[in-house]
Amino acid sequence: MRVLTLFATAALATTASALTKTDNKTGFSWDPANFKVAAVRYPPANYAYPIGQNRTWVDLDLNATIDRAIEFIDEAGAEGVKLMAFPEIYFPGFPIALNFNFTPPNFAQYASQAMVHEGPEWKRLTAAFVRNKMYAVVSFAEVSDDALYMGQYLVGPDGSTIHKHRKLRPSGSERNLFSDGDIESIRSVTLPFGTVTYLSCWENLEPTMRYVAAAQPANLHIASFPYCSDSNPDTEWWEHCAGFRAVVQTYTQAAGVAAIFSAIGKVSIWDVAAGFVPNSGNSTDALDPASFERMPYITYVYNTTTWGTPTYDLNSMHSWGALMQIVSGTAPDVPRKSGTFWNHYVTKIQDLAKYYVFTDSTGSAVSNSSNYPSLYENFGETYTVVQSNEYY
């Protein structure tokens, strides 16, 4: 019996080895038929409860969030997770009060907790991915050239940054704090296990970003949202969890991809068979604090052998032909000009502590009712800067 047992064990090991592939460049190994991914749902340090409903400004803590993230990255690595997706600006966290109640000093504190790419905090975080030979889509508040961006970077199992994306146009009141990214950063990336695309929150909805991403063939799409919680009478129209999920589900149908929906709170991972498969994958709606400790992320195992190599389809709804038909079919009475919304805005961090940076962007729930002067008057049309002696 002992000999039979040893033989069976050896046979299993050989079979597993035969199924496993290894990328010699990075040391990354995976089983194509059992590719485990994870969607993070654990709240950042100091996050206000209940999730998505507490509008109080809180001082988020970057290093404490990294500390906890490293713990569950190691946990995920131990159970075989090969790709982890984080919620929108998870490091140090999405400032929910940005849409409701804040002052320039709050901005300054938040900026102090933002992360520098390749800085010491970044390297400490990515070392965990190296240790666990794991890919990750890391969304973080990024400091660069005295401005804040909504970074969403693809990190490899060797700790390298494979691709950088900054949210093209921060949504609603986010634009009062974060600067605009570049549309050229919306690109698919081919990895050893498949081709991925990724977008941040409303980029998955807005045609400008959604089309650019979906026009590029991929196997897997990663959608990073800030939080996903229960709705109540105070929930704004743009923050309903059901709406967030529906946006990503329709993306999978239109682009024919699997999808990971990461957010603080409720999360989902969906499979694909030429579009969204209802009830496929894995989801949770748990929101109680104990559930976060018990389940800081959810996982799902994809069979990537069914994915194949994505190719361009000239008849796709996201093809060049579709785009040209949209342009030619635009009604003649639609004005052929752009508004100030389409300008590229960059706000310096030094100004965030002195002015109320109010852009009146679509979806913004706030108005300039504070005593602080506005950096952009009339949504940037004048660029008049009103000085505030109180913060000089």
Side-chain angles (χ1 to χ4, degrees):
M1 180 65 70
R2 181 175 297 175
V3 173
L4 289 174
T5 303
L6 290 174
F7 177 78
T9 302
L12 288 172
T14 301
T15 303
S17 177
L19 294 174
T20 300
K21 292 186 176 182
T22 300
D23 177 15
N24 293 329
K25 182 180 179 181
T26 62
F28 176 72
S29 62
W30 75 104
D31 179 352
N34 296 281
F35 188 78
K36 183 176 281 191
V37 301
V40 174
R41 59 184 296 273
Y42 192 89
N46 298 344
Y47 216 68
Y49 286 84
I51 300 298
Q53 297 177 8
N54 190 331
R55 314 303 197 188
T56 305
W57 184 278
V58 294
D59 289 346
L60 297 167
D61 187 328
L62 173 62
N63 279 299
T65 299
I66 292 175
D67 289 343
R68 184 64 181 98
I70 289 173
E71 292 178 357
F72 61 68
I73 291 169
D74 287 338
E75 293 172 12
E79 66 169 287
V81 168
K82 300 299 181 180
L83 170 67
M84 178 171 279
F86 286 83
E88 186 178 42
I89 51 175
Y90 185 78
F91 302 97
F94 185 89
I96 294 178
L98 175 69
N99 295 292
F100 305 97
N101 179 30
F102 61 88
T103 64
N106 294 144
F107 281 158
Q109 188 281 330
Y110 185 83
S112 74
Q113 298 302 302
M115 189 155 52
V116 177
H117 179 241
E118 297 297 351
E121 294 84 5
W122 177 268
K123 291 180 179 179
R124 189 161 68 89
L125 173 64
T126 55
F129 303 128
V130 175
R131 182 167 56 253
N132 292 283
K133 292 300 177 186
M134 183 190 299
Y135 284 90
V137 173
V138 178
S139 184
F140 65 108
E142 179 188 4
V143 180
S144 179
D145 297 325
D146 193 38
L148 282 182
Y149 296 92
M150 303 181 79
Q152 193 184 25
Y153 285 16
L154 176 61
V155 178
D158 57 354
S160 65
T161 300
I162 299 172
H163 187 72
K164 304 176 182 179
H165 170 54
R166 290 172 174 170
K167 192 170 186 179
L168 171 61
R169 192 169 298 105
S171 308
S173 301
E174 295 167 6
R175 215 175 183 190
N176 298 339
L177 176 59
F178 297 96
S179 295
D180 295 349
D182 299 299
I183 198 167
E184 291 81 9
S185 70
I186 302 175
R187 293 292 181 264
S188 65
V189 183
T190 298
L191 301 172
F193 57 84
T195 301
V196 301
T197 52
Y198 53 95
L199 293 173
S200 189
C201 196
W202 266 20
E203 289 188 317
N204 293 276
L205 172 67
E206 296 187 14
T208 320
M209 305 79 153
R210 181 182 176 121
Y211 171 84
V212 174
Q216 301 171 71
N219 305 113
L220 175 65
H221 180 71
I222 297 166
S224 299
F225 279 71
Y227 55 89
C228 194
S229 186
D230 292 334
S231 296
N232 63 27
D234 294 328
T235 301
E236 296 288 344
W237 63 268
W238 43 263
E239 61 175 341
H240 288 281
C241 185
F244 289 164
R245 278 173 160 163
V247 164
V248 182
Q249 289 169 347
T250 57
Y251 186 104
T252 68
Q253 290 179 309
V257 294
I260 302 175
F261 169 82
S262 57
I264 305 303
K266 303 179 181 183
V267 289
S268 298
I269 302 174
W270 292 295
D271 215 332
V272 62
F276 167 64
V277 180
N279 301 317
S280 72
N282 187 16
S283 293
T284 183
D285 288 349
L287 291 171
D288 58 291
S291 75
F292 293 119
E293 299 300 331
R294 182 178 67 254
M295 184 173 47
Y297 54 84
I298 65 167
T299 63
Y300 182 70
V301 176
Y302 285 118
N303 180 1
T304 63
T305 64
T306 65
W307 284 0
T309 302
T311 58
Y312 286 96
D313 179 2
L314 298 183
N315 297 312
S316 163
M317 67 178 71
H318 292 102
S319 64
W320 179 261
L323 179 61
M324 292 300 98
Q325 191 165 69
I326 291 171
V327 173
S328 65
T330 301
D333 57 339
V334 174
R336 264 54 172 182
K337 59 181 181 179
S338 299
T340 55
F341 176 79
W342 305 102
N343 291 341
H344 188 274
Y345 291 97
V346 175
T347 302
K348 296 299 182 180
I349 293 174
Q350 62 180 337
D351 291 329
L352 297 175
K354 302 174 184 177
Y355 310 105
Y356 185 104
V357 187
F358 182 66
T359 54
D360 196 22
S361 180
T362 302
S364 175
V366 299
S367 61
N368 192 358
S369 59
S370 74
N371 295 321
Y372 299 99
S374 176
L375 179 61
Y376 297 134
E377 293 183 355
N378 300 320
F379 189 35
E381 292 178 359
T382 63
Y383 293 96
T384 300
V385 176
V386 180
Q387 296 184 356
S388 169
N389 293 327
E390 182 178 358
Y391 286 100
Y392 272 107

